[in-house]
Amino acid sequence: MPLDRTAEDLLAAVRESPRAVAAHDKEAWVGLFADNAAVHDPYGSREHIGPDAISRFYNVFIAPNSIAFSVDRDLVVGHTVVRDLHIETTMSTGATVTVPMHLRYDLVRTDDGWRIARLAAHWELGVMIARLLRTGPSGLLAGAKLGPQLVAELGVGGAMGMMRALRGVGGSGKRTVRRLFAAAAAGDSGGVRALLDERTVVELPAGHPVAVADFVDRARDMEWDKMIAAGRTVSVSVRVGASHGVAFVDFAPDRPRITAVRVFLDDDPAGG
């Protein structure tokens, strides 16, 4: 199905981000965000709010590096764009790492066009660090340089806030999500309900709340592959029927209980 004009405008706004990153155009990149926008990158770390904080984030994580986006799929639902992708980052030392990722952009309309109100980058900091160290001396040097850069730009509190991304639901959260999806794919409503409660928000597709029975009926035979645990959320690349998408499964802040399941799906069975 062809995208409507709003969806095209939202995608155009989001696609300016990798262009500005590739060009190392800091003014253009920071200008993509609305006033008081929040950047959660990686998701689970302390957010960067407002142009000054986002500018400092750019100085640490974008300015010294070369970053290439390899996008598998874009999904537009309401005023949200979800990108299923991998990002390849080449550090100033020459070390290169490729990290699987799901990006969620929530946008708002302003007098200057569509702007990003919230960017949530779902990727695993621990995985990235391990891959960086495996690149050898160039990776070790990159890690050694990043620490002082973090403190210089973000302060000690900001550097510690970045490390929060190492905590979260991790492997246990992924195992729970696998159980949830396996039960749904098998048509096992009881197995799904055992992992949820009556207050859990289930949306399939995102923006359309459904009962558990309807979720199980729609998700029967669903398939999934890329699974990322970032903070208290597990994001997953999925296929539901002829549609592809990304599911975000949120967990309670203090216990391993699912509080929300939101599945963003494309409207084009061909995955355009």
Side-chain angles (χ1 to χ4, degrees):
M1 295 172 59
L3 293 174
D4 62 29
R5 179 59 185 271
T6 298
E8 290 177 347
D9 290 345
L10 291 168
L11 274 174
V14 164
R15 287 168 176 163
E16 286 301 312
S17 176
R19 291 192 186 102
V21 167
H24 283 89
D25 188 337
K26 176 181 175 180
E27 182 178 357
W29 191 78
V30 175
L32 297 173
F33 293 87
D35 294 339
N36 298 317
V39 172
H40 303 255
D41 190 351
Y43 191 76
S45 63
R46 192 172 80 179
E47 65 271 21
H48 308 270
I49 301 176
D52 290 342
I54 292 172
S55 177
R56 290 193 294 271
F57 171 87
Y58 179 98
N59 292 342
V60 176
F61 298 105
I62 298 177
N65 306 317
S66 296
I67 302 172
F69 289 58
S70 178
V71 179
D72 298 318
R73 194 171 306 278
D74 284 326
L75 312 164
V76 183
V77 177
H79 295 166
T80 295
V81 177
V82 174
R83 311 200 85 180
D84 189 345
L85 74 165
H86 290 72
I87 285 185
E88 181 182 86
T89 301
T90 301
M91 312 291 187
S92 60
T93 61
T96 298
V97 291
T98 301
V99 177
M101 188 177 299
H102 296 119
L103 291 176
R104 173 173 173 167
Y105 299 83
D106 296 312
L107 295 100
V108 293
R109 193 193 299 270
T110 72
D111 292 340
D112 297 320
W114 290 100
R115 292 291 182 266
I116 301 166
R118 177 178 177 268
L119 166 60
H122 292 257
W123 55 278
E124 297 180 359
L125 179 60
V127 170
M128 188 278 287
I129 291 172
R131 291 183 179 184
L132 182 62
L133 295 179
R134 285 200 295 269
T135 64
S138 61
L140 291 171
L141 180 58
K145 292 178 65 176
L146 180 58
Q149 289 172 339
L150 274 169
V151 174
E153 288 286 345
L154 307 181
V156 174
M160 295 298 293
M162 175 73 176
M163 294 301 105
R164 290 181 191 171
L166 293 173
R167 304 194 303 268
V169 295
S172 64
K174 290 182 181 181
R175 289 190 291 274
T176 298
V177 172
R178 289 190 188 100
R179 288 168 55 204
L180 174 73
F181 287 174
D188 180 4
S189 296
V192 170
R193 288 193 177 91
L195 300 170
L196 311 177
D197 59 40
E198 66 277 3
R199 292 172 295 179
T200 300
V201 176
V202 181
E203 297 179 354
L204 179 60
H208 297 272
V210 296
V212 169
D214 293 330
F215 169 72
V216 171
D217 183 63
R218 179 79 190 275
R220 194 180 299 271
D221 298 325
M222 76 180 290
E223 299 176 358
W224 59 93
D225 47 25
K226 184 169 74 178
M227 187 172 287
I228 297 168
R232 304 295 299 177
T233 297
V234 175
S235 59
V236 192
S237 300
V238 299
R239 185 184 66 78
V240 181
S243 298
H244 294 79
V246 175
F248 293 91
V249 181
D250 299 330
F251 287 78
D254 55 352
R255 57 198 177 98
R257 191 73 173 177
I258 293 171
T259 59
V261 181
R262 295 182 175 90
V263 186
F264 290 79
L265 295 173
D266 60 24
D267 291 323
D268 181 356

